[in-house]
Amino acid sequence: QRKHLWVKKATGLGITEFMIRYIAWKCLKDDEWKDKQIDVNAVIIVGPRIDLAITIMNRMKHLFGDHEFKTKETVLTLNGNRIEVFPSHHLAPARGLNPQFVFLDEADFFPPQMQVEARMVSERYIAKTDPYIAMVSTPNLPLGLFDTMEREEESIYIRKKMDYRTGIGKVFTQEAID
């Protein structure tokens, strides 16, 4: 019913892993995205370093074992669906795309000007392709992107909070929390 998700989370909960697996699943489960493809099906925006973008893409590629993909380090094609990952400081190439899904990973840690630009780029897609948008981060600084969005009275996002209690017994022990 709602296509825009904002998640403020504790570290280590596996949300990035879940999201890259979800994107891969959406590409492979049927031809829904492939039939809608114009240029790219999923855009992933990560922190400001290209090596982080490559790391995220490698995590996705490694879901498929030792299969060798013949694409550049920040691109993956699955079942005819193109996925691209962009560092937050290099969003100009992402502006003209037409994605079905946008994932902003650790968005509260983008440099301040990049936070504004990444949100703007992501939300501008709504008028073009009405994509799903998932904006996920551990909280960073007061007055940053997530703090600002959390204070908005009205939002297009479903806002979820997953604090450390979500991970107790899974990734955190009660003793470690204590």
Side-chain angles (χ1 to χ4, degrees):
Q1 295 174 340
R2 303 269 307 271
K3 296 179 80 172
H4 311 117
L5 175 65
W6 175 94
V7 180
K8 183 170 90 172
K9 64 171 190 73
T11 190
L13 296 181
I15 306 302
T16 299
E17 187 69 19
F18 174 81
M19 296 305 295
I20 63 175
R21 288 173 181 261
Y22 178 77
I23 291 167
W25 176 77
K26 285 290 285 180
C27 291
L28 298 171
K29 74 175 183 74
D30 57 31
D31 290 339
E32 176 188 2
W33 276 9
K34 184 166 63 174
D35 292 344
K36 294 180 183 177
Q37 182 183 16
I38 297 171
D39 45 29
V40 66
N41 298 93
V43 167
I44 302 171
I45 302 172
V46 299
R49 299 184 336 264
I50 189 67
D51 59 325
L52 182 56
I54 292 167
T55 298
I56 294 292
M57 186 54 73
N58 283 339
R59 284 175 64 180
M60 185 176 279
K61 289 177 179 179
H62 282 100
L63 294 174
F64 303 97
D66 292 333
H67 181 79
E68 186 176 326
F69 293 95
K70 295 178 176 24
T71 58
K72 68 183 199 175
E73 294 175 304
T74 57
V75 176
L76 175 61
T77 301
L78 295 174
N79 187 32
N81 296 288
R82 185 177 175 95
I83 304 159
E84 281 198 57
V85 61
F86 297 91
S88 62
H89 74 288
H90 192 64
L91 291 178
R95 288 184 181 277
L97 300 176
N98 297 285
Q100 310 301 308
F101 194 95
V102 181
F103 171 42
L104 296 95
D105 189 36
E106 294 297 354
D108 209 29
F109 288 86
F110 298 175
Q113 183 55 34
M114 299 299 109
Q115 292 176 359
V116 172
E117 184 176 2
R119 182 178 185 186
M120 184 181 64
V121 167
S122 301
E123 292 176 1
R124 285 178 59 195
Y125 292 136
I126 294 170
K128 294 170 72 177
T129 57
D130 192 26
Y132 289 88
I133 300 173
M135 190 176 301
V136 177
S137 190
T138 35
N140 190 14
L141 298 172
L143 303 177
L145 177 64
F146 269 53
D147 184 50
T148 301
M149 292 179 74
E150 189 169 19
R151 294 171 190 264
E152 292 174 350
E153 285 188 34
E154 303 233 352
S155 180
I156 63 170
Y157 294 89
I158 296 171
R159 292 183 269 200
K160 300 291 181 182
K161 295 179 185 175
M162 301 174 76
D163 66 15
Y164 71 92
R165 292 173 291 196
T166 305
I168 293 178
K170 299 171 187 80
V171 295
F172 307 127
T173 65
Q174 186 62 53
E175 294 80 32
I177 296 300
D178 291 345

